Amino acid sequence: KKINIDSLLIKTETISLAANGNYSMNSSSDITLNADILNAKEIAAFAKMDSLETSGKIYGHLTGEPTYLHANLSVSLENTNYSGYKFSSSYGNVDGFITSKDTVFKADLHAGNLNVSDFKIDTIHLNASSNIHATDFNLTAQGQDLKAGLDGNIGLGKDILISLNDLNADYKGSSWQMLHSPSTVRIGESDYEVNNLQLASNGIGLSDEIQIISANGIIRQKGEENFDL
């Protein structure tokens, strides 16, 4: 079966969606989607996210055959606000391949001027690559008072396993750096386990004293706990 779309335009009160191309269940597909969002009123109602506000553009392109599809998604949003989190701008690109055996994608996402209450971050950048089993990620944030970086991997299975290769933060001149790599956090159905997580700070003020925070062990919702902080 093959669906040919010469030109399709759908307009609502707040969204304009245009599509063209073809989609096939057993041969080549090539379809393009463009969406203009005036505001998030209808999206918020559909997704039951009453406090969501945003506007912008979304572009999508799908090509290939059923056993090997290439998908590309570009997003550019402005004045996004949800549950007290405000971004003046956010944009990014997601590029992926969908095959009969795996789904692989790479994402490059940016956000500017994050406001949470009185806390502000000028820029946030997330770079990630993923398949159906795990996601590698690198996250950086920078503001007047805060500079931070996080690099690691998230493994998806019965338990979620977060492996940290690097964690660093500088808040108002106080710097913290992860000492050993990797540090791991396992999130199970009824317990949480932290291994080898140590953070060291620089000296503060006139003191050269180095502070170290160390976390190891298991926290259980039921039963015996064995956690050291």
Side-chain angles (χ1 to χ4, degrees):
K1 295 182 179 181
K2 190 173 185 178
I3 302 172
N4 290 304
I5 304 173
D6 180 45
S7 180
L8 175 66
L9 180 62
I10 300 174
K11 283 190 173 184
T12 69
E13 182 183 347
T14 63
I15 299 172
S16 175
L17 175 65
N20 63 78
N22 68 82
Y23 179 76
S24 175
M25 298 291 290
N26 49 32
S27 62
S28 296
S29 299
D30 189 339
I31 189 167
T32 300
L33 299 172
N34 283 284
D36 288 319
I37 303 170
L38 297 179
N39 64 63
K41 178 181 177 181
E42 292 172 303
I43 298 174
F46 177 78
K48 296 182 179 180
M49 302 166 67
D50 295 338
S51 61
L52 177 65
E53 299 175 7
T54 194
S55 63
K57 297 179 181 293
I58 299 175
Y59 167 84
H61 190 202
L62 182 71
T63 60
E65 299 186 355
T67 57
Y68 194 85
L69 290 171
H70 174 224
N72 181 265
L73 180 70
S74 296
V75 179
S76 178
L77 301 175
E78 296 180 352
N79 301 318
T80 300
N81 185 356
Y82 181 65
S83 294
Y85 292 86
K86 299 179 181 180
F87 296 92
S88 66
S89 65
S90 53
Y91 61 94
N93 181 269
V94 179
D95 199 65
F97 293 92
I98 305 167
T99 72
S100 57
K101 295 182 179 180
D102 203 356
T103 298
V104 180
F105 76 82
K106 292 183 178 181
D108 187 40
L109 307 175
H110 301 256
N113 298 319
L114 167 64
N115 243 304
V116 184
S117 298
D118 294 328
F119 187 73
K120 297 180 180 180
I121 298 177
D122 296 331
T123 61
I124 298 175
H125 179 210
L126 172 64
N127 192 281
S129 60
S130 180
N131 58 31
I132 59 175
H133 301 294
T135 298
D136 294 317
F137 65 89
N138 181 274
L139 177 69
T140 59
Q142 185 165 343
Q144 182 176 351
D145 295 326
L146 173 70
K147 293 180 181 178
L150 183 63
D151 183 88
N153 173 277
I154 300 175
L156 304 175
K158 181 180 178 181
D159 294 345
I160 298 174
L161 181 63
I162 303 172
S163 179
L164 300 178
N165 300 319
D166 186 37
L167 170 60
N168 63 82
D170 186 303
Y171 182 66
K172 293 185 175 180
S174 177
S175 297
W176 291 86
Q177 176 70 49
M178 193 173 77
L179 292 179
H180 304 292
S181 174
S183 298
T184 61
V185 178
R186 181 183 60 81
I187 303 174
E189 293 183 0
S190 60
D191 62 0
Y192 309 88
E193 183 176 4
V194 179
N195 283 306
N196 199 37
L197 179 59
Q198 285 190 317
L199 299 173
S201 75
N202 63 351
I204 301 176
L206 299 177
S207 173
D208 291 328
E209 181 182 356
I210 295 176
Q211 296 177 321
I212 295 178
I213 297 176
S214 176
N216 278 285
I218 300 176
I219 299 174
R220 295 184 174 92
Q221 295 180 9
K222 295 181 180 180
E224 184 179 352
E225 295 187 0
N226 183 15
F227 186 79
D228 295 320
L229 180 63

